[in-house]
Amino acid sequence: MAYAVEIKGIRQKFGEKEVLKGINLKVLKGEIFGLLGPSGAGKTTLVKILTGQLGPSAGSLQFFQGEGRDCRRYGMMMDNFGLYERLSCYDNLKLFARIYGVPNKKIDEILKKVGLEEDRKCPVSKLSKGMRGRLSLARALMHGPKLLFLDEPTSGLDPVTGAWIHNLILGERQRGATIFLTTHNMEEAHKLCGHVALLCQGSIVEYGNPEEICRKYNHQNKLHIRLRDGQCVELPNGKEAAEAVRDYLAEGLVETIHSTEPSLETVFMELTGRRLEEG
């Protein structure tokens, strides 16, 4: 099995406070991996270690089976965008094109890809938060990275812009890139990610495929049926309920049927007693 990232025993202390407490993770090559947790859980600290912005107190990292960390192969979109306010969209990307050795003709291509081609001359100071997010993502994608780090890429954005960014992320996966996504948005993680890790107070409390995690913590394992007359019926999710369900359906009485598996947020609350969006 090919891994893009292997994290072994990563710890990080700031003074007496231990922010990361022995993190062990593996990210498959070509997948979208999600690191979930509330603000202050240690997500951004781990990304800074992975991207070389911060040295760990202990532990080791490996990229693509020992290939090494080369910034030309990686792209980054951090929550604090890091754009030059006085420069235009085009000139912001021109600076990074020079660093990565990307021809200038690529700049207009990537601006079009993120829907900013008509704003190429607009200074960053006049962009909305959503437009800034798209420009920051354009910067991260410009050189066709093998590994893409996205730290809260849709935080505070409207649903339309968020969906736009989701489509770009899925497109990068189709291109063959590996995406390491940090988020506190459980719906975003469930929609995009092949595997997720739940991080709380510096420790991984659960790891796996989102749907498998939800099924694992489905303690009730029941069906909730809402009938057209407004009545709600609860049945065990098993063969013993098959006849009753068939009868309801045959008589055209069913409005909705839902199973009781929890969401990622519900699982997180069960494991930690905290909501994903809590600080």
Side-chain angles (χ1 to χ4, degrees), residues 88-91 93 104-123 127 130-132 134-135 138 164 168:
S88 67
C89 293
Y90 183 91
D91 286 340
L93 296 187
N104 287 344
K105 65 179 183 179
K106 182 71 175 178
I107 299 174
D108 283 320
E109 292 176 15
I110 198 69
L111 284 172
K112 183 176 182 179
K113 186 174 184 178
V114 300
L116 292 174
E117 67 272 27
E118 295 183 2
D119 302 286
R120 65 193 303 277
K121 295 182 180 180
C122 182
L127 299 180
M131 294 167 76
R132 286 169 179 248
R134 282 186 275 158
L135 182 60
W164 183 295
L168 289 174

Side-chain angles (χ1 to χ4, degrees), residues 23-222:
I23 302 297
N24 296 289
L25 283 174
K26 292 182 178 180
V27 179
L28 289 170
K29 184 178 178 181
E31 81 165 335
I32 301 175
F33 172 84
L35 184 64
L36 278 67
S39 299
K43 302 188 304 297
T44 299
T45 298
L46 182 57
V47 172
K48 286 183 176 180
I49 291 172
L50 289 168
T51 54
Q53 300 175 70
L54 188 65
S57 302
S60 63
L61 305 169
Q62 182 168 279
F63 298 88
F64 297 103
Q65 279 75 48
E67 182 180 280
R69 181 166 43 199
D70 184 340
C71 67
R72 292 171 297 180
R73 298 190 182 103
Y74 306 142
M76 258 189 306
M77 178 185 175
M78 305 299 287
D79 192 27
N80 57 348
F81 301 121
L83 301 170
Y84 295 95
E85 295 285 319
R86 295 184 180 181
L87 296 182
S88 67
C89 293
Y90 183 91
D91 286 340
N92 262 274
L93 296 187
K94 188 176 179 179
L95 284 174
F96 287 91
R98 189 176 304 167
I99 293 170
Y100 290 121
V102 175
N104 287 344
K105 65 179 183 179
K106 182 71 175 178
I107 299 174
D108 283 320
E109 292 176 15
I110 198 69
L111 284 172
K112 183 176 182 179
K113 186 174 184 178
V114 300
L116 292 174
E117 67 272 27
E118 295 183 2
D119 302 286
R120 65 193 303 277
K121 295 182 180 180
C122 182
V124 168
S125 60
K126 294 185 178 180
L127 299 180
S128 67
K129 184 172 184 179
M131 294 167 76
R132 286 169 179 248
R134 282 186 275 158
L135 182 60
S136 186
L137 185 57
R139 185 187 64 188
L141 300 179
M142 189 165 53
H143 58 299
K146 292 176 58 177
L147 178 58
L148 187 59
F149 292 98
L150 303 177
D151 188 23
E152 304 281 0
T154 59
S155 178
L157 301 183
D158 63 271
V160 173
T161 304
W164 183 295
I165 289 178
H166 286 173
N167 286 333
L168 289 174
I169 293 171
L170 291 169
E172 287 302 296
R173 185 193 63 186
Q174 292 174 355
R175 180 178 64 80
T178 303
I179 295 99
F180 191 107
L181 171 73
T182 69
T183 182
H184 64 265
N185 185 327
M186 58 165 184
E187 293 181 6
E188 179 172 76
H190 208 141
K191 174 183 177 181
L192 298 177
C193 298
H195 291 89
V196 298
L198 306 184
L199 182 68
C200 183
Q201 297 180 341
S203 297
I204 301 295
V205 295
E206 187 58 272
Y207 167 88
N209 173 272
E211 292 187 0
E212 291 175 356
I213 291 175
C214 292
R215 287 196 298 268
K216 177 180 177 181
Y217 289 88
N218 187 10
H219 306 306
Q220 290 185 320
N221 196 26
K222 292 182 179 180

Side-chain angles (χ1 to χ4, degrees), residues 211-274:
E211 292 187 0
E212 291 175 356
I213 291 175
C214 292
R215 287 196 298 268
K216 177 180 177 181
Y217 289 88
N218 187 10
H219 306 306
Q220 290 185 320
N221 196 26
K222 292 182 179 180
L223 295 174
H224 287 167
I225 303 175
R226 181 178 179 85
L227 303 180
R228 296 189 184 279
D229 63 2
Q231 182 183 358
C232 293
V233 179
E234 185 176 270
L235 298 171
N237 188 4
K239 60 182 181 181
E240 63 270 30
E243 185 174 344
V245 173
R246 185 185 64 232
D247 289 344
Y248 285 129
L249 290 170
E251 295 174 26
L253 300 177
V254 176
E255 186 172 271
T256 62
I257 299 179
H258 297 287
S259 55
T260 56
E261 66 267 15
S263 66
L264 286 173
E265 181 174 10
T266 306
V267 171
F268 192 88
M269 290 175 64
E270 177 178 335
L271 293 171
T272 68
R274 303 173 68 186

